Amino acid sequence: MTRPDPHAPHGPHAPGAPPAARRAAPAAGVNLPALRSHNAALVLDLLRGAGEAGISRIELAEGTGLTPQAVSKIVARLRAEGMAAEAGRRASTGGKPRTVLRLVPSAGYAVGLHLDRDELTAVLLDLAGTRVATHRAPLDLGAPAATVVAAAATQVEALLARAAPPGAEPPGGGGSAASRPPGTHRAEPPGRTAPVGPATASAAGSPGPTAPTAPAGSAAGSPRRAVPAAPATARTSEGAPAPAADPPAPAPPAPVADPPGPGGPAPWPRVLGAGVAMPGPLDHARGVPHRVTGHPHWDGYPLRDALAGRLGLPVVLDKDTNAAALGLALRGPGDSFAYLHLGTGLGAGLVLGGALHRGARTGAGEFGHQVLQLDGPVCDCGERGCVEALCLAAVARGDVAEAARVLGTAAGNLVGLLDIDRVLLGGRVVAAAEEAFVRGVAEVVARRGPVPVAPAPGGPHTVAEGAAQLVLAPVFGRAPAAPAADPAG
């Protein structure tokens, strides 16, 4: 009699299968290595959900639909890689106490970059999704693309230096990226950036010249109407001067992948990749921006590949609103919602049936360029009467109530078209008058039905943290593996 494959799940599509197995079951015809990676992602997701209390192997088998033998093999591999560890023992009703396991959050990190039109925000998340470091700096998205890439790479190096434990030294101490161990980074003197070694993590899937640290060049065109480009000092969402770097998140775990050796310094953070979020439209699959509103010179520029080459890391590119929506979907219920981001522009991230909706050409969510007034003011996209143009014009006049009414009208159209469950608002313009925007939008949307309107959680880091989740979510089977540039070419 043929023995069943211990690595195969017990019918994840069959009635009664565990929810985790049904949610992330692979398509028919998947090869064995891919299936094993998928199964490891299921186990990692349950380990992360269990927190510090941990979870037993039996519970892992029940939650994934895998056999106990398969779970034991996956756990052994994850422990060998430093991604899982024992969390103690739990009393048993019969037999010996069960060993419980937990995720090791410091075993890997993801960088999240939000490239706005006048500011860059960078965050570092650990495997548990906890923000352990933040860095902000002025940015001019209207500068030449290569200049922006160089500036972004410099800020990532600054972020990693900020996150490193006291006394940490990058392994190898210097030399080229190829001469250093995988997943390590070398700190450069201020104003310089060097390629960094590619990160490696089996569960994560496929994985310098002088650069400015101030705003990248000068604007190629006029600033946005309602939100002027940031001067030499970064600005908060309320318009007040802000420091170049935020304080780190409260009480973060030490960002190290492994304990330091006897008498040796703590190692540099092990980075799995970088997610980059910027205004659209863009091609997520190819990692190439299109004609970004107000900055058409980005059209066709290979941003994902260029930044991967500078960082030596896998890089994923997506729209700012999509990244934010992904991060919000991972925090909350798997429903249908729209995230509306009003800052230097206006866009939407759509989650339908619990899944991020990008569209066949990854162009969904260009919410700001639906026309509400045929003879309205000219928008930077070339059309007349776009929601974005009307909203930003009202904000520039100081008429927040009118801006909220316009935004609510467009949001109501979205509710009627897609039958979504809720509307979340974010972006610096909303943050500056959050109560007025939520109230004004809710009043208009209520005419379409009982759909709640609320501010998006996450504050000014919503987009950057969502960008980091472009790298982390596939590790835990919570999103399909995103197209990423190979830093090795």
Side-chain angles (χ1 to χ4, degrees):
M1 181 176 69
T2 303
R3 301 182 64 181
D5 181 358
H7 296 288
H10 295 314
H13 295 292
R22 288 200 306 271
R23 169 179 54 79
V30 70
N31 59 31
L32 187 57
L35 181 60
R36 285 175 174 162
S37 177
H38 164 79
N39 292 343
L42 294 179
V43 171
L44 280 168
D45 194 36
L46 290 177
L47 288 170
R48 182 173 62 169
E52 289 296 320
I55 185 171
S56 70
R57 289 174 175 81
I58 294 297
E59 291 168 325
L60 288 172
E62 292 172 349
T64 60
L66 299 170
T67 65
Q69 300 96 313
V71 166
S72 292
K73 289 184 178 181
I74 292 171
V75 166
R77 188 165 72 250
L78 294 177
R79 292 187 65 184
E81 293 168 353
M83 302 183 78
E86 286 191 7
R89 295 182 180 274
R90 185 181 300 163
S92 175
T93 55
K96 64 180 182 179
R98 292 180 179 178
T99 300
V100 291
L101 303 149
R102 64 174 179 86
L103 180 73
V104 178
S106 60
Y109 297 84
V111 171
L113 276 177
H114 178 196
L115 304 181
D116 208 345
R117 291 177 172 88
D118 60 0
E119 185 179 63
L120 176 149
T121 302
V123 300
L124 190 69
L125 302 189
D126 65 16
L127 288 181
T130 301
R131 177 165 49 90
V132 299
T134 308
H135 189 82
R136 294 170 62 198
L139 181 74
D140 179 8
L141 202 62
T147 305
V148 175
V149 168
T154 297
Q155 300 308 329
V156 170
E157 291 289 341
L159 174 77
L160 295 176
R162 184 178 179 82
E169 295 179 3
S176 66
S179 68
R180 298 193 300 277
T184 62
H185 306 269
R186 174 166 59 92
E188 289 288 338
R192 293 192 62 202
T193 256
V196 293
T200 57
S202 64
S206 62
T210 300
T213 56
S218 58
S222 60
R224 307 289 291 168
R225 281 185 298 275
V227 186
T233 302
R235 298 279 169 178
T236 66
S237 58
E238 291 79 17
D246 288 349
V256 296
D258 300 291
W268 214 244
R270 179 193 186 198
V271 181
L272 306 181
V276 180
M278 68 178 295
L282 54 78
D283 187 329
H284 167 67
R286 294 173 53 230
V288 174
H290 292 318
R291 292 179 62 85
V292 176
T293 304
H295 302 301
H297 67 289
W298 281 99
D299 190 16
Y301 182 80
L303 175 58
R304 182 192 65 192
D305 294 352
L307 192 55
R310 287 299 301 261
L311 294 176
L313 290 169
V315 172
V316 182
L317 176 68
D318 210 339
K319 289 199 299 187
D320 47 11
T321 50
N322 284 344
L326 173 64
L328 293 168
L330 295 173
R331 294 184 187 197
D335 58 359
S336 298
F337 67 87
Y339 167 73
L340 308 183
H341 185 95
L342 181 59
T344 57
L346 173 62
L350 304 174
V351 173
L352 305 178
L356 180 63
H357 178 74
R358 294 186 177 94
R361 290 167 293 281
T362 72
E366 288 300 309
F367 172 80
H369 300 291
Q370 56 174 303
V371 175
L372 287 189
Q373 185 179 338
L374 293 178
D375 58 349
V378 175
C379 179
D380 286 346
C381 73
E383 296 288 346
R384 282 186 172 273
C386 291
V387 183
E388 178 179 303
L390 295 172
C391 272
L392 293 182
V395 170
R397 297 193 305 269
D399 193 347
V400 173
E402 173 63 10
R405 187 182 71 85
V406 171
L407 183 59
T409 300
N413 291 343
L414 202 59
V415 168
L417 181 66
L418 299 177
D419 193 25
I420 54 180
D421 300 314
R422 56 192 173 120
V423 174
L424 300 176
L425 305 181
R428 70 174 73 168
V429 172
V430 169
E434 186 175 273
E435 183 178 347
F437 270 103
V438 171
R439 182 177 64 252
V441 171
E443 287 175 357
V444 182
V445 169
R447 301 169 193 166
R448 298 279 186 164
V451 176
V453 177
H461 308 112
T462 301
V463 174
E465 290 187 11
Q469 290 292 352
L470 293 169
V471 175
L472 290 180
V475 175
F476 299 93
R478 301 299 296 271
D486 181 358

